[in-house]
């Protein structure tokens, strides 16, 4: 039995998925909220939001993600970063999951990955949980209703949290599994209720497919000047570095907050929504994002709330510091309806430096930009992955290693070529600590970061005086209106200059040790700017 609207020639039975209970095809937001509530999957919040929790998995499980090693991808996957799964093991996994699904009700959403029709990926997402269907409907791009009548997926994702994988039978690590099979064009997710696995699976697909077309997939947010898409800026960064917060600038038009492509025509969002962290969110600092937490059908994930009033507690991280809300892009008043921009004029690489060494902003040459892109230095912020409870300094190449199926140099070379062709200016922005390391210093003031970014994007920062940093070789402004000069020189913010020097020396050595893995794959101009 089924409900909803679907291509009559592309039901689940036509894909070999049979014996299910009721199947709900392409329900819209009101029906998905009602279905989730009727199943007891969550509670109704203020403004008609949906309040849900995800059990023991409150972040991604990167160690449980596998790529099936088939002949077509054997030579192109970065296997050191993407553990392989044997095709026979995947066949057993898929058979067991489909058997487990029999008799159970499922929700199906047919959606697009990519705002540019020339490069989009048509994705079918099959979810056991109705709220997962609502989540992915927000996060991907929604076809016009009439288009559903002829929708045929390029890839299919099956997400079944109640299914537990068998490591011995299925060639995996635990009962949690995310398995990508590029040959069968299928992704299987089991043993986790964390909704972020759905969207990041689509990002991983596009990260593999698009480079063959000469398109740069980017783990970044993006915006452009009002009425001027040519003045586009992109913000690379891992979760917690400020991608969502800094791109949602009311003075600019939001293209998207997390995943984009850079094609021969410019920038395009992969998604149709946002997945914003809500810890310490306030109406004063981030009014647009805060407002979404009381809008109809926004998914409020892993937040503590008052049982009677349903008022959200933005400071209580007892469930997880990785509390989030998921909402459609149009809930942000200055969001672009097309989710398209021009070729980036400014490229900002966001890092969260838990050592308190890096300046709040630095200007990079194209070679330095590739160096820092490949390095991907930042800190994992508490809660974004299982087991991360405080900021952990790390190197995540391309500012998104968990989602990169190809070797990092593939993406680095694409970025380098596009910067050279289109003349983008590159900046490294530290949203982490100042005045000392994590535990001693304080987070970089958001007001100062915004002022520096405004100056970078409007061109005035280029006219400021700069100094060459003695540790990292990049250029750092010495004075910027609205920003205390002392903040621009991190060594001066420390009470003990010798302690800063020791910490900087430690970080330089970490950069050097990490980058040695790329030495054989880079050009001389990048090799010339390596640190240490």
């Amino acid at each position: 039995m089924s409900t909803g609207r679907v291509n009559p020639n592309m039901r689940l039975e036509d894909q070999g998925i049979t014996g299910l209970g009721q199947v709900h095809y392409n329900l819209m937001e009101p029906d998905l909220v009602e279905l989730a509530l009727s199943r007891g999957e969550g509670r109704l919040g203020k403004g008609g939001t949906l309040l849900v929790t995800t059990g023991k998995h409150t972040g991604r499980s990167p160690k449980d993600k596998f790529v099936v090693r088939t002949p077509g991808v054997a030579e192109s996957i970065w296997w050191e970063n993407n553990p392989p799964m044997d095709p026979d093991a995947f066949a057993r996994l898929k058979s067991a999951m489909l058997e487990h699904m029999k008799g159970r009700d499922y929700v199906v959403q047919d959606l697009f990955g990519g705002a540019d029709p020339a490069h989009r990926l048509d994705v079918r997402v099959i979810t056991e949980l109705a709220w997962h269907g609502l989540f992915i409907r927000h996060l991907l791009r929604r076809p016009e209703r009439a288009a559903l009548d002829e929708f045929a997926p390029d890839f299919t994702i099956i997400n079944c949290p109640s299914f537990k994988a068998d490591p011995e039978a299925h060639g995996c690590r635990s009962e949690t599994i995310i398995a990508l099979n590029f040959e069968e064009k299928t992704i299987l997710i089991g043993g986790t209720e964390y909704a972020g696995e759905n969207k990041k699976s689509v990002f991983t697909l596009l990260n593999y497919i698009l480079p063959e077309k000469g398109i740069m997939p980017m783990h970044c947010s993006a915006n452009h000047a009002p009425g001027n898409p040519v003045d586009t800026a992109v913000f690379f960064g891992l979760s917690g570095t400020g991608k969502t917060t800094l791109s949602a600038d009311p003075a600019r038009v939001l293209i998207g907050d997390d995943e984009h492509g850079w094609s021969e025509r410019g920038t395009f969002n992969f998604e149709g929504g946002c997945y914003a962290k809500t810890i310490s969110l306030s109406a004063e600092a981030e009014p647009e994002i805060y407002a979404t937490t009381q809008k109809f059908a926004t998914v409020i994930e892993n937040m503590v709330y008052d049982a009677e009033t349903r008022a959200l507690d933005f400071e209580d991280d007892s469930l997880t510091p990785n509390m989030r809300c998921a909402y459609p892009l149009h809930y942000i008043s200055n969001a672009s309806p097309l989710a398209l921009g021009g070729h980036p004029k400014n490229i900002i690489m966001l890092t969260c430096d838990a050592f308190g060494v890096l300046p709040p902003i630095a200007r990079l040459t194209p070679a330095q930009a590739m160096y820092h892109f490949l390095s991907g230095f930042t800190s994992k912020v508490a809660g974004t992955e299982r087991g991360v409870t405080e900021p952990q300094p790390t190197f995540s190449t391309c500012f998104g290693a968990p989602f990169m199926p190809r070797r990092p140099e593939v993406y680095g070379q694409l970025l380098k070529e596009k910067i050279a062709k289109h003349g983008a200016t590159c900046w490294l922005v530290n949203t982490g600590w100042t005045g000392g390391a994590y535990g001693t210093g304080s987070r970089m003031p958001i007001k100062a970061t915004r002022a520096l970014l405004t100056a970078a994007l409007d061109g005035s920062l280029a006219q400021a005086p700069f100094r060459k940093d003695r540790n990292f070789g990049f250029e750092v402004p010495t004075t910027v209106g609205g920003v205390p000069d002392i903040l621009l020189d991190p060594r001066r913010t420390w009470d003990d200059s010798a302690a800063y020097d020791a910490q900087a020396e430690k970080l330089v050595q970490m950069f050097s040790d990490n980058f040695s893995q790329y030495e054989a794959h880079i050009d001389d101009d990048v090799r010339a700017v390596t640190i240490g």
Side-chain angles (χ1 to χ4, degrees):
M1 182 179 177
S2 66
T3 62
R5 188 164 185 171
V6 65
N7 180 346
N9 299 313
M10 193 50 68
R11 298 179 181 274
L12 294 190
E13 293 85 350
D14 299 300
Q15 295 182 278
I17 304 172
T18 60
L20 304 186
Q22 190 163 22
V23 178
H24 303 277
Y25 289 101
N26 295 305
L27 299 184
M28 297 184 72
E29 291 78 3
D31 283 335
L32 287 167
V33 171
E34 287 181 350
L35 183 60
L37 292 172
S38 70
R39 290 179 170 186
E41 293 178 6
R43 300 189 71 186
L44 193 66
K46 283 190 171 184
T49 60
L50 184 63
L51 310 173
V52 299
T53 57
T54 63
K56 68 178 183 179
H57 291 271
T58 57
R60 290 180 290 101
S61 300
K63 294 180 181 178
D64 294 304
K65 185 176 179 180
F66 296 81
V67 174
V68 181
R69 188 165 195 148
T70 54
V73 300
E75 302 302 319
S76 52
I77 295 291
W78 181 23
W79 295 113
E80 293 85 353
N81 189 59
N82 297 272
M85 175 178 282
D86 185 79
D88 290 339
F90 181 84
R92 292 191 295 271
L93 173 68
K94 183 178 180 181
S95 177
M97 183 176 284
L98 294 181
E99 185 62 30
H100 174 85
M101 292 168 64
K102 290 186 184 298
R104 300 171 187 259
D105 297 345
Y106 280 82
V107 169
V108 177
Q109 287 287 318
D110 293 330
L111 301 161
F112 299 147
D116 187 337
H119 304 301
R120 80 180 188 212
L121 189 71
D122 295 357
V123 182
R124 167 166 285 180
V125 186
I126 304 165
T127 61
E128 182 178 23
L129 296 172
W131 80 262
H132 274 196
L134 177 62
F135 171 92
I136 202 63
R137 182 171 174 80
H138 287 335
L139 267 293
L140 293 185
R141 301 193 65 79
R142 299 159 291 279
E144 296 293 333
R145 299 301 287 177
L148 295 171
D149 298 338
E150 297 180 352
F151 186 96
D154 298 314
F155 275 81
T156 297
I157 299 172
I158 303 175
N159 189 323
C160 185
S162 66
F163 174 81
K164 310 300 181 188
D166 180 343
E168 186 174 344
H170 304 140
C172 53
R173 191 187 72 99
S174 73
E175 65 183 19
T176 301
I177 184 66
I178 303 99
L180 291 77
N181 191 321
F182 286 97
E183 185 174 284
E184 290 194 17
K185 297 187 175 182
T186 300
I187 298 176
L188 304 178
I189 303 173
T192 173
E193 294 183 29
Y194 182 64
E197 300 288 10
N198 295 292
K199 86 180 212 90
K200 289 305 184 185
S201 292
V202 177
F203 185 38
T204 303
L205 289 178
L206 290 165
N207 280 344
Y208 182 77
I209 293 167
L210 293 181
E212 290 187 339
K213 299 181 176 182
I215 298 169
M216 176 65 190
M218 303 179 291
H219 189 209
C220 71
S221 56
N223 61 28
H224 68 72
N228 185 17
V230 172
D231 185 3
T232 291
V234 300
F235 303 75
F236 285 99
L238 286 184
S239 177
T241 56
K243 290 196 312 301
T244 298
T245 299
L246 295 173
S247 60
D249 181 342
R252 292 175 66 86
V253 177
L254 179 67
I255 301 171
D257 84 323
D258 196 38
E259 300 163 6
H260 294 77
W262 185 354
S263 73
E264 74 285 354
R265 299 198 292 184
T267 310
F268 63 99
N269 192 355
F270 290 168
E271 301 184 303
C274 301
Y275 189 34
K277 289 174 73 75
T278 55
I279 188 165
S280 300
L281 184 67
S282 71
E284 294 74 30
E286 299 171 82
E288 290 271 1
I289 299 173
Y290 185 89
T292 70
T293 64
Q294 295 188 34
K295 291 191 176 183
F296 178 72
T298 290
V299 176
I300 306 293
E301 186 182 77
N302 292 322
M303 287 193 70
V304 174
Y305 56 88
D306 184 280
E308 183 177 11
T309 66
R310 311 291 165 86
L312 300 173
D313 189 332
F314 293 90
E315 301 302 326
D316 189 338
D317 64 355
S318 57
L319 291 177
T320 175
N322 194 35
M323 57 181 81
R324 291 180 180 264
C325 62
Y327 50 89
L329 197 59
H330 65 259
Y331 277 9
I332 302 297
S333 63
N334 62 322
S336 164
L338 299 177
L340 301 172
H343 298 290
K345 183 178 177 182
N346 284 280
I347 294 174
I348 294 96
M349 298 183 183
L350 299 170
T351 181
C352 176
D353 174 21
F355 287 112
V357 168
L358 295 175
I361 195 166
R363 185 167 58 191
L364 306 176
T365 66
Q368 288 173 329
M370 184 172 177
Y371 176 85
H372 283 279
F373 181 71
L374 290 177
S375 296
F377 172 71
T378 189
S379 298
K380 292 180 180 178
V381 177
T384 53
E385 292 183 10
R386 294 190 71 200
V388 178
T389 58
E390 62 181 44
Q392 296 180 0
T394 188
F395 291 88
S396 184
T397 188
C398 309
F399 295 99
F403 326 117
M404 300 297 160
R406 296 179 182 271
R407 278 205 60 87
E409 300 84 18
V410 173
Y411 307 104
Q413 188 61 34
L414 265 175
L415 181 64
K416 181 183 172 186
E417 291 171 358
K418 289 187 177 294
I419 290 172
K421 183 176 181 179
H422 300 288
T425 302
C426 302
W427 308 89
L428 183 70
V429 171
N430 174 25
T431 62
W433 274 259
T434 183
Y438 168 75
T440 302
S442 57
R443 279 302 287 264
M444 195 70 67
I446 184 68
K447 184 178 179 181
T449 302
R450 287 193 185 279
L452 290 167
L453 282 174
T454 297
L457 299 186
D458 69 17
S460 60
L461 187 56
Q463 310 306 316
F466 283 78
R467 65 176 175 85
K468 184 175 180 179
D469 188 273
R470 66 179 183 176
N471 293 304
F472 298 94
F474 43 48
E475 293 184 313
V476 181
T478 58
T479 181
V480 179
V483 179
D485 288 353
I486 190 173
L487 199 65
L488 298 170
D489 186 351
R491 190 172 187 267
R492 292 172 58 199
T493 67
W494 283 51
D495 292 333
D496 185 342
S497 297
Y500 172 86
D501 292 340
Q503 191 84 311
E505 184 178 351
K506 178 182 177 181
L507 182 55
V508 166
Q509 189 60 51
M510 288 178 65
F511 266 92
S512 179
D513 293 344
N514 172 74
F515 203 78
S516 62
Q517 64 186 302
Y518 307 120
E519 289 280 357
H521 304 278
I522 58 173
D523 295 336
D524 289 342
D525 60 338
V526 178
R527 192 172 289 108
V529 301
T530 56
I531 297 167

